[in-house]
Amino acid sequence: MNLINPKVKLFAVTAACMGTFLVSSQTAIPSVSSKENNPSVKAVPAALKWSERMMLSEMYRFPQSWMLDFNTAPKWSYPAAIVLEGAEKLYAATGKKEYYDYISSFGAALISEEGAIRGYELDKYNIDMLNCGNVLLYLYQKEKKDKYLKALQTLGLQISGHPRTAEGAFWHKKIYSHQVWLDGIYMGMPFYAHYTHDFMKGAQAEKAYDEIVLQFELAQKNLLDKKTGLLYHAWDESRQQLWADKTTGRSPHFWGRAMGWYGMAMVDVLDYLPEGHPGRAKMISFIKSYADAIIKVQDKNSGLWYQVLDQGAAKGNYTEATASTMFVYTIIKSVNQGYLPQSYKKAAKKGYDGIIKNLITVDENGAVSLNKCCAVAGLGGTPYRDGSYEYYINEKIRSNDPKGTGPFILASLEFEK
């Protein structure tokens, strides 16, 4: 599929040579000092709403937007895009230029004047690399800089060539052949939908939207547990992975954040899926069954959700921040958009209040921290991650992971509407 609108001036680099261009052009990207363009957030006023308090706290902790996710050098890193989406919405709501400057500095640090993306390699076909494209779509809309268009066209080439299962589901990465992860649906599909909305028309756009909806249909087919309504973390088409059930191909557990990614993917894709597209009704039905399933495993006392969703207070399990913020965002946005009845707001509010009561702390400068975030979890790789219960509960826990602070900002904005 050609993902570049023929009316848009093409970046004259073929898919075959694009990887070489990106590597060789990285020297053209200027070095970036952590002292440049510092927003200089000295303190975070407690009188502000939670959305701004958390956003300013992130800017306080990470003076440069490329530092998000604890980076020590500019890196094309998907978690940054979630926080920067919050900055986009805050800029639209408040008009405060510091939020826009924070977003713009990410593009300045990561994209060369020739349109090369720092550290990106097309031929790895890593679906995580698409998520930051949302920042570029925003910056291109605002600034119309050719370098952002060229970088976006590169990401379009990745979508065109990205390996897929026999049914058409995107692999998580080229090195994770035949594997579909819930994480990857979030990493790829909101960007693909946004890109399609901005750059495609007619039959080309219709085909792209159909493919986007297909990713969710295949997730429901291959990852859904019909008994609980929850979705497993991943599926291996080949059944070769040690973590994959030899009959179903599914990983063994329901990881909280994987389900969180999936929910956010659905509500964010619907921002761009046309009103008349037949996939909208399917997507909304998926959201309803999804919300019902996660509300059933919501902790009745705290309102939070567990690292391993269906295991409750089993030994070593814990109420985890990133999953909890993602679930709250998904439900409250779905209510606000009319995908779910108003009655679902009660569960979202209970979760949101539980986050503030149990997971939020404030330091002497007013900076807000979100605690008990699982830093990372995956499957396979080296050293091998087996997807066992013991694996998930023993991964590193840290504070202020952008995979939690970003959804918290977005959820707060939905409650503050």
Side-chain angles (χ1 to χ4, degrees):
M1 183 190 302
N2 177 13
L3 292 174
I4 307 298
N5 188 322
K7 294 183 180 180
V8 178
K9 182 181 177 182
L10 290 179
F11 185 28
V13 182
T14 66
C17 70
M18 183 62 76
T20 303
F21 168 82
L22 292 170
V23 174
S24 63
S25 295
Q26 285 177 37
T27 54
I29 302 176
S31 62
V32 180
S33 165
S34 63
K35 296 180 180 179
E36 294 174 5
N37 304 315
N38 192 318
S40 300
V41 179
K42 303 294 185 184
V44 179
L48 292 173
K49 294 177 180 178
W50 281 110
S51 58
E52 283 202 84
R53 291 177 72 183
M54 184 60 83
M55 186 70 238
L56 289 171
S57 298
E58 289 289 81
M59 295 165 70
Y60 177 78
R61 282 185 285 270
F62 306 110
Q64 299 297 316
S65 53
W66 56 258
M67 294 176 174
L68 289 163
D69 206 27
F70 306 92
N71 293 324
T72 57
K75 181 181 179 183
W76 189 248
S77 176
Y78 72 83
I82 315 170
V83 176
L84 296 179
E85 182 184 349
E88 292 172 20
K89 294 183 185 303
L90 280 169
Y91 176 63
T94 68
K96 294 179 181 178
K97 192 171 181 292
E98 58 263 40
Y99 298 136
Y100 185 83
D101 291 343
Y102 196 65
I103 304 162
S104 185
S105 69
F106 186 82
L110 273 298
I111 310 299
S112 77
E113 290 305 311
E114 294 79 23
I117 304 169
R118 183 187 288 266
Y120 172 89
E121 295 176 66
L122 175 65
D123 60 3
K124 287 189 174 181
Y125 289 103
N126 179 350
I127 206 164
D128 288 345
M129 297 297 104
L130 295 177
N131 190 50
C132 276
N134 289 300
V135 182
L136 301 188
L137 286 164
Y138 177 79
L139 290 174
Y140 181 66
Q141 180 189 51
K142 294 291 186 182
E143 300 178 8
K144 299 300 180 189
K145 289 183 179 178
D146 193 51
K147 69 175 188 174
Y148 294 139
L149 177 59
K150 291 175 179 177
L152 285 165
Q153 290 171 342
T154 300
L155 297 177
L157 287 173
Q158 177 176 334
I159 294 173
S160 294
H162 203 96
R164 293 156 169 81
T165 67
E167 295 176 304
F170 285 69
W171 290 5
H172 194 63
K173 300 179 185 180
K174 186 177 179 180
I175 60 170
Y176 293 160
S177 60
H178 304 281
Q179 297 173 40
V180 178
W181 297 16
L182 291 180
D183 320 32
I185 297 175
Y186 175 80
M187 299 304 155
M189 293 311 107
F191 169 74
Y192 191 2
H194 191 173
Y195 185 97
T196 300
H197 175 273
D198 287 5
F199 290 114
M200 297 188 215
K201 293 181 180 179
Q204 185 189 39
E206 186 176 344
K207 186 176 180 181
Y209 287 130
D210 288 348
E211 182 173 53
I212 291 162
V213 172
L214 177 65
Q215 306 308 304
F216 296 92
E217 292 173 335
L218 293 176
Q220 297 292 130
K221 175 185 176 183
N222 296 318
L223 288 160
L224 178 69
D225 175 61
K226 292 182 180 178
K227 183 178 179 181
T228 62
L230 300 171
L231 283 83
Y232 291 94
H233 186 176
W235 176 71
D236 175 18
E237 177 186 38
S238 70
R239 276 70 167 175
Q240 296 301 305
Q241 290 298 312
L242 297 177
W243 52 257
D245 184 279
K246 297 306 178 186
T247 301
T248 66
R250 296 167 179 165
S251 58
H253 286 288
F254 307 114
W255 177 40
R257 187 157 75 230
M259 277 286 285
W261 288 131
Y262 186 63
M264 294 206 303
M266 288 191 286
V267 294
D268 288 357
V269 159
L270 284 171
D271 289 344
Y272 301 102
L273 193 65
E275 287 293 334
H277 193 282
R280 283 190 72 87
K282 286 183 181 179
M283 296 281 289
I284 292 168
S285 73
F286 296 160
I287 289 172
K288 173 69 165 58
S289 63
Y290 171 96
D292 289 342
I294 60 173
I295 290 170
K296 286 177 183 175
V297 292
Q298 184 178 22
D299 183 67
K300 289 180 172 55
N301 294 320
S302 68
L304 302 174
W305 282 267
Y306 285 90
Q307 168 76 339
V308 182
L309 282 174
D310 64 332
Q311 296 300 306
K315 185 178 180 181
N317 208 10
Y318 62 96
T319 48
E320 196 274 329
T322 68
S324 296
T325 57
M326 289 176 179
F327 292 145
V328 167
Y329 168 65
T330 299
I331 297 172
I332 189 58
K333 182 175 179 179
S334 295
V335 170
N336 287 346
Q337 293 294 105
Y339 309 144
L340 291 174
Q342 283 290 323
S343 57
Y344 284 73
K345 186 174 182 177
K346 181 179 179 182
K349 187 65 165 61
K350 184 174 183 178
Y352 187 64
D353 291 345
I355 292 164
I356 293 169
K357 179 181 178 181
N358 298 289
L359 302 178
I360 293 285
T361 52
V362 182
D363 74 9
E364 65 276 8
N365 292 315
V368 177
S369 285
L370 178 69
N371 305 301
K372 293 177 67 178
C373 302
C374 173
V376 66
L379 294 162
T382 305
Y384 197 84
R385 299 166 294 183
D386 65 1
S388 64
Y389 176 79
E390 291 71 22
Y391 162 71
Y392 285 114
I393 64 169
N394 285 297
E395 275 287 31
K396 180 181 176 182
I397 300 170
R398 65 185 181 183
S399 298
N400 301 319
D401 191 296
K403 299 183 287 292
T405 57
F408 178 79
I409 295 167
L410 296 172
S412 296
L413 286 162
E414 291 292 331
F415 277 108
E416 292 160 10
K417 284 183 176 178

